[in-house]
Amino acid sequence: MPGQSEPVLYEQEGAIVTVTLNRPEVMNNFGGGLIEGLAAAADRFDADPSAHVMILTGNGRAFCAGADLKAAEKRIREGGSVSDPSSAGARQREALFENPKFVRRTNFFKPMIGAINGYCVAGGLEVALACHFLIGAESSKYGILTRRWGGPTVDGGTYRLPLWVGLGNALYLLQTGKQIDAQEAFRIGLIQEVVPDDELLPRARAIAENLAAVPQGALVGDTEATLRGLGRRYDDALALEAIIASTVHMSGEAVGRFVRKDYDPETGQSKASG
């Protein structure tokens, strides 16, 4: 297990990886190496063939509160810029589509579940939206609160939020800066399940175990086809789906379980191994 003082914790049990944002004293804001640690954790998960599903969560009373506004205010007050003028930032601008930042990566196709505890606001909500779906604790809160302080949405929220909740709901959140609770987030489709706080990680783990148990080729391929098809013309998206599907290996053993009716209805795995 990584040192508990690290800004991002990475733990693997079997095929399931749990990534924990670990700056609870500042509500897991982006400072202190958290953004860099999250990118490294996601890259590690993506590159590891033994890792099938990732759960992303936060330590403490927040999932993630977004940017470190105190540090931003200090830079502005001292005559600096909130943006990063460093050569690293320049290289990222030159290689826009190769940007290693977690929220800018668009080629993660292994399932990523957001297990949302506490406050999931501002840039933290944008981090959550980079996952594939979200499970929210009853006490979780959501919103683009940076609207109140004049901060722009720069980590994918203006693109992803309308896809998740529809244009009207997205603009309502983006323009008003309103904070909503878990039940409202569920109603508009921002989160897919609401669970008691103490059941958040067990429920996310149960879903992850089901996802990890099925043949991975079709699961990852369908995720890729869905995400790559967004925004394309109808016929182009269907052609892309067909191309991706043609590369997916179908397991004779897995299909055989269906023919023999020897499978668990939840996971599709053999009843003997379930």
Side-chain angles (χ1 to χ4, degrees):
M1 179 183 298
Q4 295 299 309
S5 62
E6 295 180 15
V8 175
L9 306 180
Y10 188 102
E11 302 174 64
Q12 182 168 355
E13 184 177 344
I16 300 170
V17 167
T18 301
V19 175
T20 305
L21 307 180
N22 189 43
R23 302 186 74 228
E25 70 282 1
V26 289
M27 297 178 66
N28 298 321
N29 73 34
F30 289 166
L34 183 139
I35 283 294
E36 295 82 358
L38 177 56
D43 287 344
R44 178 178 172 184
F45 163 71
D46 190 46
D48 184 355
S50 73
H52 292 172
V53 184
M54 186 177 94
I55 298 169
L56 179 62
T57 194
N59 184 14
R61 64 191 184 97
F63 170 78
C64 180
D68 183 348
L69 293 182
K70 290 183 179 179
E73 187 276 338
K74 184 174 184 291
R75 286 196 298 272
I76 294 172
R77 178 164 34 85
E78 294 176 351
S81 170
V82 174
S83 61
D84 178 11
S86 69
S87 58
R91 287 196 298 272
Q92 286 186 1
R93 289 194 297 274
E94 293 168 2
L96 180 62
F97 297 105
E98 298 177 9
N99 193 316
K101 194 175 183 181
F102 176 68
V103 292
R104 295 292 176 193
R105 287 281 301 273
T106 59
N107 58 344
F108 289 124
F109 305 124
K110 293 193 289 187
M112 298 187 300
I113 304 169
I116 310 302
N117 56 297
Y119 291 94
C120 178
V121 296
L125 178 55
E126 295 180 274
V127 168
L129 292 174
C131 295
H132 294 151
F133 60 88
L134 307 179
I135 308 299
E138 286 180 339
S139 66
S140 56
K141 308 289 184 183
Y142 307 83
I144 307 294
L145 305 189
T146 43
R147 184 57 57 248
R148 306 172 183 181
W149 327 123
T153 302
V154 298
D155 287 316
T158 59
Y159 179 79
R160 291 189 177 107
L161 194 57
L163 292 175
W164 283 60
V165 302
L167 181 60
N169 286 324
L171 289 175
Y172 177 71
L173 292 173
L174 286 164
Q175 292 179 354
T176 66
K178 181 179 176 62
Q179 180 174 279
I180 61 175
D181 62 19
Q183 291 298 333
E184 180 66 5
F186 176 74
R187 185 188 72 80
I188 66 175
L190 181 58
I191 62 178
Q192 282 57 66
E193 291 187 19
V194 181
V195 298
D197 288 16
D198 60 356
E199 295 178 17
L200 177 63
L201 286 179
R203 176 55 182 156
R205 177 84 191 186
I207 296 172
E209 287 174 349
N210 286 348
L211 296 178
V214 302
Q216 296 298 295
L219 172 62
V220 174
D222 284 356
T223 303
E224 180 177 359
T226 298
L227 295 177
R228 289 196 187 280
L230 290 174
R232 293 177 182 265
R233 294 192 329 176
Y234 195 21
D235 51 351
D236 289 342
L238 294 184
L240 179 65
E241 177 191 69
I243 290 170
I244 292 172
S246 71
T247 69
V248 172
H249 170 70
M250 290 188 65
S251 164
E253 188 275 331
V255 175
R257 291 198 298 271
F258 172 79
V259 173
R260 298 189 304 271
K261 300 188 184 304
D262 172 33
Y263 61 90
D264 180 278
E266 281 289 322
T267 66
Q269 295 300 291
S270 170
K271 289 179 180 178
S273 63

